[in-house]
Amino acid sequence: MKKTVILGTLIAVVGLIGPKIIGSVVNGKMDDFVGSLNESPGYEATIVSSQSSWFSTVATVKVGVNPVIFGDLSANPEAAEFFDNFSVNAHVTAQHGPFLTLNGVGFGLLALKAEVDEAALRDYLTYSDDERLYGLMVNVGLLGSASYSDEVQAFTVVDGSDTAMSKPLSFSGWTGAGSMSASHLDYRGQMDSLTALQDGSSGSFQIQSVSLALNADDSWVSMMEGAFYDSSFEFAIGSIVMGLPMNQSAKVRVENIVMNGVTEKSDDGQLMDVTLNYGIEMIASEDFNATDLVLKTEFNNLEKGFVLASQDASANSLELEQMAEVLKASLLPQLQASPEFNITEMSGSVGNGSFSGKMLMKITGVDSMPDVLEDPGFWLSKAGVDSAITLDKAMALWVGEKMLVSQLQGDPQMASQMTNKEIKDLAVQQAGAMIETLSQQGMVIATEDGDYQMMFTLKDSQATLNGNPMPLPF
């Protein structure tokens, strides 16, 4: 009997005192979130109102956009005025556990729902009368892990709207979901389509099948503050079709675009390696066709102080000279870390030809900054480069043709006496001879397989091209 009384007392304590504690945590986390949002480039947020009772918290957060993130908008005063005055109110309702009903019946520490105003952007967009343009739901379990989902409603731009958002455009909506804890976050989101119709002066485009997957070994707040963290992501687009201005029959189609990447910090958290890979299955237009385009890059040994200084400079929208001074002050630790920029793979096919290549670049041996930062001799003595590119014969002829067309069109006399077709025909005739001349001069190497190769290295201030010493201009 006594054990039953004790158990009942514990349940009562958890059920009555727990919600009050959770409410205090919710208010503190909301302050942290708004503070982090204000530290993020382009956002301005304030808590307009907040009321907390024993079992729930209700708040309104005003979120605006700082137009400086879009750069100079002086050429588009309508857009500048719109973003200068743009803000939305997000209404937050939180239910304190352990008994939850806000996002469905269950047990947990917290259920939260955030939605923008019912009237948000209705002067510019048409979307369902009984839906909010954006909503977020979060459920925190009894052990502290959280799941969440968000949704942007499908919309179309209001016809005849004389604003910066007046392009005929329709959006299918976005849905996403994920989970988070104090040390991990993951997210998956997707949309079906985004379509902009031709309006007479500009072209059209349609983007289909967009998805985003993100995993990060850190908290959401830390991510917004720009801290180093291990992560991976993949962003994919099924297709993009663009109609050119004043000529909708001329279209450019791009299929299966994928960008993925990984960030990995060092054991002491002071350095980070970043891998970014890009792939496009096909680009096709009337006069251009490319397939299987691949670009794989690495940014290794990025130093935390330099990266954070770069982020702060961007967030504060500093002028170019001010930004240069900020970065210069934190540049030495970054150089001492021996940074690398590598293109580990670059390949694809254009027309009937194909190409492949790599470029490895590293700065080593920097102990102190030079007296004159722009001293080319200093940087040559610290830089190492190992690069190579290979073109098959068809690709080499295509590149040669494009180079000759550019040269001939840049010659006023030639341009005035020949049509574009005549210039192109002449370039096709002379491309082979130009490549042969470059081969004889040692600028390119003709391989036994019939390909053409160019190799460049730089080490200890000594440059070589295709294995031969190459004089430098400084």
mmCIF file with all atom_site columns, all heavy atoms in Angstrom, residues 82-103:
data_model
loop_
_atom_site.group_PDB
_atom_site.id
_atom_site.type_symbol
_atom_site.label_atom_id
_atom_site.label_alt_id
_atom_site.label_comp_id
_atom_site.label_asym_id
_atom_site.label_entity_id
_atom_site.label_seq_id
_atom_site.pdbx_PDB_ins_code
_atom_site.Cartn_x
_atom_site.Cartn_y
_atom_site.Cartn_z
_atom_site.occupancy
_atom_site.B_iso_or_equiv
_atom_site.pdbx_formal_charge
_atom_site.auth_seq_id
_atom_site.auth_comp_id
_atom_site.auth_asym_id
_atom_site.auth_atom_id
_atom_site.pdbx_PDB_model_num
ATOM 1   N N   . PHE A 1 82  ? 10.245 46.370 -51.268 1.00 0.00 ? 82  PHE A N   1
ATOM 2   C CA  . PHE A 1 82  ? 9.545  45.201 -50.730 1.00 0.00 ? 82  PHE A CA  1
ATOM 3   C C   . PHE A 1 82  ? 10.329 44.557 -49.598 1.00 0.00 ? 82  PHE A C   1
ATOM 4   O O   . PHE A 1 82  ? 9.797  44.321 -48.510 1.00 0.00 ? 82  PHE A O   1
ATOM 5   C CB  . PHE A 1 82  ? 9.295  44.190 -51.849 1.00 0.00 ? 82  PHE A CB  1
ATOM 6   C CG  . PHE A 1 82  ? 8.708  42.883 -51.353 1.00 0.00 ? 82  PHE A CG  1
ATOM 7   C CD1 . PHE A 1 82  ? 7.350  42.774 -51.128 1.00 0.00 ? 82  PHE A CD1 1
ATOM 8   C CD2 . PHE A 1 82  ? 9.520  41.788 -51.103 1.00 0.00 ? 82  PHE A CD2 1
ATOM 9   C CE1 . PHE A 1 82  ? 6.804  41.579 -50.660 1.00 0.00 ? 82  PHE A CE1 1
ATOM 10  C CE2 . PHE A 1 82  ? 8.995  40.595 -50.642 1.00 0.00 ? 82  PHE A CE2 1
ATOM 11  C CZ  . PHE A 1 82  ? 7.620  40.493 -50.417 1.00 0.00 ? 82  PHE A CZ  1
ATOM 12  N N   . PHE A 1 83  ? 11.602 44.266 -49.833 1.00 0.00 ? 83  PHE A N   1
ATOM 13  C CA  . PHE A 1 83  ? 12.382 43.564 -48.820 1.00 0.00 ? 83  PHE A CA  1
ATOM 14  C C   . PHE A 1 83  ? 12.731 44.468 -47.633 1.00 0.00 ? 83  PHE A C   1
ATOM 15  O O   . PHE A 1 83  ? 12.923 43.990 -46.520 1.00 0.00 ? 83  PHE A O   1
ATOM 16  C CB  . PHE A 1 83  ? 13.649 42.979 -49.439 1.00 0.00 ? 83  PHE A CB  1
ATOM 17  C CG  . PHE A 1 83  ? 13.386 41.788 -50.310 1.00 0.00 ? 83  PHE A CG  1
ATOM 18  C CD1 . PHE A 1 83  ? 13.589 41.844 -51.676 1.00 0.00 ? 83  PHE A CD1 1
ATOM 19  C CD2 . PHE A 1 83  ? 12.927 40.603 -49.761 1.00 0.00 ? 83  PHE A CD2 1
ATOM 20  C CE1 . PHE A 1 83  ? 13.335 40.749 -52.487 1.00 0.00 ? 83  PHE A CE1 1
ATOM 21  C CE2 . PHE A 1 83  ? 12.673 39.500 -50.561 1.00 0.00 ? 83  PHE A CE2 1
ATOM 22  C CZ  . PHE A 1 83  ? 12.871 39.578 -51.919 1.00 0.00 ? 83  PHE A CZ  1
ATOM 23  N N   . ASP A 1 84  ? 12.785 45.780 -47.872 1.00 0.00 ? 84  ASP A N   1
ATOM 24  C CA  . ASP A 1 84  ? 13.067 46.702 -46.779 1.00 0.00 ? 84  ASP A CA  1
ATOM 25  C C   . ASP A 1 84  ? 11.928 46.709 -45.770 1.00 0.00 ? 84  ASP A C   1
ATOM 26  O O   . ASP A 1 84  ? 12.142 46.909 -44.566 1.00 0.00 ? 84  ASP A O   1
ATOM 27  C CB  . ASP A 1 84  ? 13.297 48.103 -47.330 1.00 0.00 ? 84  ASP A CB  1
ATOM 28  C CG  . ASP A 1 84  ? 13.830 49.055 -46.268 1.00 0.00 ? 84  ASP A CG  1
ATOM 29  O OD1 . ASP A 1 84  ? 14.787 48.661 -45.571 1.00 0.00 ? 84  ASP A OD1 1
ATOM 30  O OD2 . ASP A 1 84  ? 13.282 50.162 -46.129 1.00 0.00 ? 84  ASP A OD2 1
ATOM 31  N N   . ASN A 1 85  ? 10.696 46.477 -46.245 1.00 0.00 ? 85  ASN A N   1
ATOM 32  C CA  . ASN A 1 85  ? 9.525  46.515 -45.371 1.00 0.00 ? 85  ASN A CA  1
ATOM 33  C C   . ASN A 1 85  ? 8.988  45.123 -45.043 1.00 0.00 ? 85  ASN A C   1
ATOM 34  O O   . ASN A 1 85  ? 7.964  45.003 -44.372 1.00 0.00 ? 85  ASN A O   1
ATOM 35  C CB  . ASN A 1 85  ? 8.403  47.338 -46.029 1.00 0.00 ? 85  ASN A CB  1
ATOM 36  C CG  . ASN A 1 85  ? 8.818  48.774 -46.288 1.00 0.00 ? 85  ASN A CG  1
ATOM 37  O OD1 . ASN A 1 85  ? 9.418  49.404 -45.440 1.00 0.00 ? 85  ASN A OD1 1
ATOM 38  N ND2 . ASN A 1 85  ? 8.503  49.276 -47.480 1.00 0.00 ? 85  ASN A ND2 1
ATOM 39  N N   . PHE A 1 86  ? 9.668  44.085 -45.515 1.00 0.00 ? 86  PHE A N   1
ATOM 40  C CA  . PHE A 1 86  ? 9.121  42.738 -45.373 1.00 0.00 ? 86  PHE A CA  1
ATOM 41  C C   . PHE A 1 86  ? 9.329  42.179 -43.971 1.00 0.00 ? 86  PHE A C   1
ATOM 42  O O   . PHE A 1 86  ? 10.419 42.258 -43.401 1.00 0.00 ? 86  PHE A O   1
ATOM 43  C CB  . PHE A 1 86  ? 9.794  41.799 -46.385 1.00 0.00 ? 86  PHE A CB  1
ATOM 44  C CG  . PHE A 1 86  ? 9.408  40.355 -46.200 1.00 0.00 ? 86  PHE A CG  1
ATOM 45  C CD1 . PHE A 1 86  ? 8.180  39.894 -46.633 1.00 0.00 ? 86  PHE A CD1 1
ATOM 46  C CD2 . PHE A 1 86  ? 10.263 39.464 -45.557 1.00 0.00 ? 86  PHE A CD2 1
ATOM 47  C CE1 . PHE A 1 86  ? 7.808  38.567 -46.459 1.00 0.00 ? 86  PHE A CE1 1
ATOM 48  C CE2 . PHE A 1 86  ? 9.904  38.140 -45.385 1.00 0.00 ? 86  PHE A CE2 1
ATOM 49  C CZ  . PHE A 1 86  ? 8.680  37.695 -45.830 1.00 0.00 ? 86  PHE A CZ  1
ATOM 50  N N   . SER A 1 87  ? 8.266  41.615 -43.414 1.00 0.00 ? 87  SER A N   1
ATOM 51  C CA  . SER A 1 87  ? 8.358  40.862 -42.161 1.00 0.00 ? 87  SER A CA  1
ATOM 52  C C   . SER A 1 87  ? 7.104  40.009 -42.015 1.00 0.00 ? 87  SER A C   1
ATOM 53  O O   . SER A 1 87  ? 6.065  40.316 -42.608 1.00 0.00 ? 87  SER A O   1
ATOM 54  C CB  . SER A 1 87  ? 8.494  41.796 -40.950 1.00 0.00 ? 87  SER A CB  1
ATOM 55  O OG  . SER A 1 87  ? 7.308  42.547 -40.760 1.00 0.00 ? 87  SER A OG  1
ATOM 56  N N   . VAL A 1 88  ? 7.203  38.936 -41.258 1.00 0.00 ? 88  VAL A N   1
ATOM 57  C CA  . VAL A 1 88  ? 6.050  38.090 -40.953 1.00 0.00 ? 88  VAL A CA  1
ATOM 58  C C   . VAL A 1 88  ? 6.066  37.783 -39.463 1.00 0.00 ? 88  VAL A C   1
ATOM 59  O O   . VAL A 1 88  ? 7.122  37.761 -38.823 1.00 0.00 ? 88  VAL A O   1
ATOM 60  C CB  . VAL A 1 88  ? 6.070  36.768 -41.756 1.00 0.00 ? 88  VAL A CB  1
ATOM 61  C CG1 . VAL A 1 88  ? 5.907  37.023 -43.235 1.00 0.00 ? 88  VAL A CG1 1
ATOM 62  C CG2 . VAL A 1 88  ? 7.338  35.984 -41.475 1.00 0.00 ? 88  VAL A CG2 1
ATOM 63  N N   . ASN A 1 89  ? 4.882  37.565 -38.931 1.00 0.00 ? 89  ASN A N   1
ATOM 64  C CA  . ASN A 1 89  ? 4.754  37.157 -37.538 1.00 0.00 ? 89  ASN A CA  1
ATOM 65  C C   . ASN A 1 89  ? 4.556  35.651 -37.468 1.00 0.00 ? 89  ASN A C   1
ATOM 66  O O   . ASN A 1 89  ? 3.682  35.104 -38.151 1.00 0.00 ? 89  ASN A O   1
ATOM 67  C CB  . ASN A 1 89  ? 3.564  37.858 -36.867 1.00 0.00 ? 89  ASN A CB  1
ATOM 68  C CG  . ASN A 1 89  ? 3.840  39.309 -36.586 1.00 0.00 ? 89  ASN A CG  1
ATOM 69  O OD1 . ASN A 1 89  ? 4.987  39.701 -36.371 1.00 0.00 ? 89  ASN A OD1 1
ATOM 70  N ND2 . ASN A 1 89  ? 2.797  40.139 -36.578 1.00 0.00 ? 89  ASN A ND2 1
ATOM 71  N N   . ALA A 1 90  ? 5.362  35.005 -36.677 1.00 0.00 ? 90  ALA A N   1
ATOM 72  C CA  . ALA A 1 90  ? 5.225  33.563 -36.436 1.00 0.00 ? 90  ALA A CA  1
ATOM 73  C C   . ALA A 1 90  ? 4.586  33.370 -35.070 1.00 0.00 ? 90  ALA A C   1
ATOM 74  O O   . ALA A 1 90  ? 5.104  33.857 -34.061 1.00 0.00 ? 90  ALA A O   1
ATOM 75  C CB  . ALA A 1 90  ? 6.575  32.877 -36.493 1.00 0.00 ? 90  ALA A CB  1
ATOM 76  N N   . HIS A 1 91  ? 3.447  32.699 -35.041 1.00 0.00 ? 91  HIS A N   1
ATOM 77  C CA  . HIS A 1 91  ? 2.723  32.456 -33.794 1.00 0.00 ? 91  HIS A CA  1
ATOM 78  C C   . HIS A 1 91  ? 3.111  31.075 -33.270 1.00 0.00 ? 91  HIS A C   1
ATOM 79  O O   . HIS A 1 91  ? 2.914  30.061 -33.948 1.00 0.00 ? 91  HIS A O   1
ATOM 80  C CB  . HIS A 1 91  ? 1.224  32.556 -34.025 1.00 0.00 ? 91  HIS A CB  1
ATOM 81  C CG  . HIS A 1 91  ? 0.812  33.890 -34.576 1.00 0.00 ? 91  HIS A CG  1
ATOM 82  N ND1 . HIS A 1 91  ? 0.779  35.029 -33.815 1.00 0.00 ? 91  HIS A ND1 1
ATOM 83  C CD2 . HIS A 1 91  ? 0.448  34.253 -35.832 1.00 0.00 ? 91  HIS A CD2 1
ATOM 84  C CE1 . HIS A 1 91  ? 0.397  36.049 -34.560 1.00 0.00 ? 91  HIS A CE1 1
ATOM 85  N NE2 . HIS A 1 91  ? 0.187  35.610 -35.791 1.00 0.00 ? 91  HIS A NE2 1
ATOM 86  N N   . VAL A 1 92  ? 3.657  31.054 -32.089 1.00 0.00 ? 92  VAL A N   1
ATOM 87  C CA  . VAL A 1 92  ? 4.188  29.827 -31.495 1.00 0.00 ? 92  VAL A CA  1
ATOM 88  C C   . VAL A 1 92  ? 3.291  29.384 -30.341 1.00 0.00 ? 92  VAL A C   1
ATOM 89  O O   . VAL A 1 92  ? 2.996  30.178 -29.436 1.00 0.00 ? 92  VAL A O   1
ATOM 90  C CB  . VAL A 1 92  ? 5.626  30.033 -30.982 1.00 0.00 ? 92  VAL A CB  1
ATOM 91  C CG1 . VAL A 1 92  ? 6.172  28.738 -30.392 1.00 0.00 ? 92  VAL A CG1 1
ATOM 92  C CG2 . VAL A 1 92  ? 6.521  30.537 -32.105 1.00 0.00 ? 92  VAL A CG2 1
ATOM 93  N N   . THR A 1 93  ? 2.873  28.138 -30.390 1.00 0.00 ? 93  THR A N   1
ATOM 94  C CA  . THR A 1 93  ? 2.111  27.531 -29.294 1.00 0.00 ? 93  THR A CA  1
ATOM 95  C C   . THR A 1 93  ? 2.864  26.307 -28.822 1.00 0.00 ? 93  THR A C   1
ATOM 96  O O   . THR A 1 93  ? 3.191  25.429 -29.630 1.00 0.00 ? 93  THR A O   1
ATOM 97  C CB  . THR A 1 93  ? 0.698  27.117 -29.758 1.00 0.00 ? 93  THR A CB  1
ATOM 98  O OG1 . THR A 1 93  ? 0.011  28.251 -30.258 1.00 0.00 ? 93  THR A OG1 1
ATOM 99  C CG2 . THR A 1 93  ? -0.090 26.526 -28.592 1.00 0.00 ? 93  THR A CG2 1
ATOM 100 N N   . ALA A 1 94  ? 3.154  26.271 -27.525 1.00 0.00 ? 94  ALA A N   1
ATOM 101 C CA  . ALA A 1 94  ? 3.881  25.131 -26.956 1.00 0.00 ? 94  ALA A CA  1
ATOM 102 C C   . ALA A 1 94  ? 3.064  24.525 -25.828 1.00 0.00 ? 94  ALA A C   1
ATOM 103 O O   . ALA A 1 94  ? 2.520  25.251 -24.980 1.00 0.00 ? 94  ALA A O   1
ATOM 104 C CB  . ALA A 1 94  ? 5.241  25.575 -26.436 1.00 0.00 ? 94  ALA A CB  1
ATOM 105 N N   . GLN A 1 95  ? 2.982  23.223 -25.823 1.00 0.00 ? 95  GLN A N   1
ATOM 106 C CA  . GLN A 1 95  ? 2.272  22.493 -24.760 1.00 0.00 ? 95  GLN A CA  1
ATOM 107 C C   . GLN A 1 95  ? 3.297  21.736 -23.930 1.00 0.00 ? 95  GLN A C   1
ATOM 108 O O   . GLN A 1 95  ? 4.112  20.993 -24.482 1.00 0.00 ? 95  GLN A O   1
ATOM 109 C CB  . GLN A 1 95  ? 1.248  21.534 -25.375 1.00 0.00 ? 95  GLN A CB  1
ATOM 110 C CG  . GLN A 1 95  ? 0.359  20.845 -24.357 1.00 0.00 ? 95  GLN A CG  1
ATOM 111 C CD  . GLN A 1 95  ? -0.625 19.912 -25.033 1.00 0.00 ? 95  GLN A CD  1
ATOM 112 O OE1 . GLN A 1 95  ? -0.247 19.108 -25.883 1.00 0.00 ? 95  GLN A OE1 1
ATOM 113 N NE2 . GLN A 1 95  ? -1.893 20.017 -24.674 1.00 0.00 ? 95  GLN A NE2 1
ATOM 114 N N   . HIS A 1 96  ? 3.278  21.961 -22.635 1.00 0.00 ? 96  HIS A N   1
ATOM 115 C CA  . HIS A 1 96  ? 4.269  21.345 -21.743 1.00 0.00 ? 96  HIS A CA  1
ATOM 116 C C   . HIS A 1 96  ? 3.799  19.954 -21.332 1.00 0.00 ? 96  HIS A C   1
ATOM 117 O O   . HIS A 1 96  ? 2.646  19.778 -20.917 1.00 0.00 ? 96  HIS A O   1
ATOM 118 C CB  . HIS A 1 96  ? 4.470  22.207 -20.490 1.00 0.00 ? 96  HIS A CB  1
ATOM 119 C CG  . HIS A 1 96  ? 4.641  23.668 -20.796 1.00 0.00 ? 96  HIS A CG  1
ATOM 120 N ND1 . HIS A 1 96  ? 4.345  24.655 -19.885 1.00 0.00 ? 96  HIS A ND1 1
ATOM 121 C CD2 . HIS A 1 96  ? 5.063  24.307 -21.916 1.00 0.00 ? 96  HIS A CD2 1
ATOM 122 C CE1 . HIS A 1 96  ? 4.578  25.842 -20.434 1.00 0.00 ? 96  HIS A CE1 1
ATOM 123 N NE2 . HIS A 1 96  ? 5.016  25.658 -21.663 1.00 0.00 ? 96  HIS A NE2 1
ATOM 124 N N   . GLY A 1 97  ? 4.706  18.969 -21.422 1.00 0.00 ? 97  GLY A N   1
ATOM 125 C CA  . GLY A 1 97  ? 4.359  17.586 -21.112 1.00 0.00 ? 97  GLY A CA  1
ATOM 126 C C   . GLY A 1 97  ? 4.177  17.342 -19.619 1.00 0.00 ? 97  GLY A C   1
ATOM 127 O O   . GLY A 1 97  ? 4.241  18.274 -18.817 1.00 0.00 ? 97  GLY A O   1
ATOM 128 N N   . PRO A 1 98  ? 3.963  16.091 -19.250 1.00 0.00 ? 98  PRO A N   1
ATOM 129 C CA  . PRO A 1 98  ? 4.171  14.884 -20.079 1.00 0.00 ? 98  PRO A CA  1
ATOM 130 C C   . PRO A 1 98  ? 2.956  14.445 -20.899 1.00 0.00 ? 98  PRO A C   1
ATOM 131 O O   . PRO A 1 98  ? 3.073  13.572 -21.738 1.00 0.00 ? 98  PRO A O   1
ATOM 132 C CB  . PRO A 1 98  ? 4.522  13.823 -19.048 1.00 0.00 ? 98  PRO A CB  1
ATOM 133 C CG  . PRO A 1 98  ? 3.762  14.239 -17.822 1.00 0.00 ? 98  PRO A CG  1
ATOM 134 C CD  . PRO A 1 98  ? 3.775  15.746 -17.827 1.00 0.00 ? 98  PRO A CD  1
ATOM 135 N N   . PHE A 1 99  ? 1.773  15.070 -20.663 1.00 0.00 ? 99  PHE A N   1
ATOM 136 C CA  . PHE A 1 99  ? 0.584  14.642 -21.404 1.00 0.00 ? 99  PHE A CA  1
ATOM 137 C C   . PHE A 1 99  ? 0.338  15.647 -22.525 1.00 0.00 ? 99  PHE A C   1
ATOM 138 O O   . PHE A 1 99  ? 0.100  16.832 -22.273 1.00 0.00 ? 99  PHE A O   1
ATOM 139 C CB  . PHE A 1 99  ? -0.620 14.562 -20.463 1.00 0.00 ? 99  PHE A CB  1
ATOM 140 C CG  . PHE A 1 99  ? -0.356 13.751 -19.235 1.00 0.00 ? 99  PHE A CG  1
ATOM 141 C CD1 . PHE A 1 99  ? -0.244 14.363 -17.997 1.00 0.00 ? 99  PHE A CD1 1
ATOM 142 C CD2 . PHE A 1 99  ? -0.183 12.382 -19.326 1.00 0.00 ? 99  PHE A CD2 1
ATOM 143 C CE1 . PHE A 1 99  ? 0.016  13.623 -16.869 1.00 0.00 ? 99  PHE A CE1 1
ATOM 144 C CE2 . PHE A 1 99  ? 0.075  11.633 -18.189 1.00 0.00 ? 99  PHE A CE2 1
ATOM 145 C CZ  . PHE A 1 99  ? 0.187  12.252 -16.953 1.00 0.00 ? 99  PHE A CZ  1
ATOM 146 N N   . LEU A 1 100 ? 0.398  15.191 -23.780 1.00 0.00 ? 100 LEU A N   1
ATOM 147 C CA  . LEU A 1 100 ? 0.374  16.090 -24.924 1.00 0.00 ? 100 LEU A CA  1
ATOM 148 C C   . LEU A 1 100 ? -0.784 15.778 -25.858 1.00 0.00 ? 100 LEU A C   1
ATOM 149 O O   . LEU A 1 100 ? -1.116 14.610 -26.089 1.00 0.00 ? 100 LEU A O   1
ATOM 150 C CB  . LEU A 1 100 ? 1.688  15.986 -25.707 1.00 0.00 ? 100 LEU A CB  1
ATOM 151 C CG  . LEU A 1 100 ? 2.982  16.235 -24.923 1.00 0.00 ? 100 LEU A CG  1
ATOM 152 C CD1 . LEU A 1 100 ? 4.191  15.916 -25.780 1.00 0.00 ? 100 LEU A CD1 1
ATOM 153 C CD2 . LEU A 1 100 ? 3.030  17.676 -24.432 1.00 0.00 ? 100 LEU A CD2 1
ATOM 154 N N   . THR A 1 101 ? -1.394 16.841 -26.393 1.00 0.00 ? 101 THR A N   1
ATOM 155 C CA  . THR A 1 101 ? -2.481 16.681 -27.364 1.00 0.00 ? 101 THR A CA  1
ATOM 156 C C   . THR A 1 101 ? -2.353 17.642 -28.543 1.00 0.00 ? 101 THR A C   1
ATOM 157 O O   . THR A 1 101 ? -3.122 17.546 -29.499 1.00 0.00 ? 101 THR A O   1
ATOM 158 C CB  . THR A 1 101 ? -3.842 16.931 -26.681 1.00 0.00 ? 101 THR A CB  1
ATOM 159 O OG1 . THR A 1 101 ? -3.861 18.260 -26.130 1.00 0.00 ? 101 THR A OG1 1
ATOM 160 C CG2 . THR A 1 101 ? -4.096 15.924 -25.571 1.00 0.00 ? 101 THR A CG2 1
ATOM 161 N N   . LEU A 1 102 ? -1.405 18.566 -28.517 1.00 0.00 ? 102 LEU A N   1
ATOM 162 C CA  . LEU A 1 102 ? -1.317 19.621 -29.525 1.00 0.00 ? 102 LEU A CA  1
ATOM 163 C C   . LEU A 1 102 ? -1.081 19.065 -30.924 1.00 0.00 ? 102 LEU A C   1
ATOM 164 O O   . LEU A 1 102 ? -1.749 19.460 -31.886 1.00 0.00 ? 102 LEU A O   1
ATOM 165 C CB  . LEU A 1 102 ? -0.193 20.604 -29.164 1.00 0.00 ? 102 LEU A CB  1
ATOM 166 C CG  . LEU A 1 102 ? 0.004  21.786 -30.121 1.00 0.00 ? 102 LEU A CG  1
ATOM 167 C CD1 . LEU A 1 102 ? -1.236 22.676 -30.139 1.00 0.00 ? 102 LEU A CD1 1
ATOM 168 C CD2 . LEU A 1 102 ? 1.245  22.596 -29.735 1.00 0.00 ? 102 LEU A CD2 1
ATOM 169 N N   . ASN A 1 103 ? -0.126 18.154 -31.072 1.00 0.00 ? 103 ASN A N   1
ATOM 170 C CA  . ASN A 1 103 ? 0.189  17.559 -32.373 1.00 0.00 ? 103 ASN A CA  1
ATOM 171 C C   . ASN A 1 103 ? -0.210 16.092 -32.425 1.00 0.00 ? 103 ASN A C   1
ATOM 172 O O   . ASN A 1 103 ? 0.408  15.293 -33.119 1.00 0.00 ? 103 ASN A O   1
ATOM 173 C CB  . ASN A 1 103 ? 1.691  17.699 -32.668 1.00 0.00 ? 103 ASN A CB  1
ATOM 174 C CG  . ASN A 1 103 ? 2.139  19.134 -32.742 1.00 0.00 ? 103 ASN A CG  1
ATOM 175 O OD1 . ASN A 1 103 ? 1.381  20.001 -33.175 1.00 0.00 ? 103 ASN A OD1 1
ATOM 176 N ND2 . ASN A 1 103 ? 3.364  19.402 -32.319 1.00 0.00 ? 103 ASN A ND2 1
#
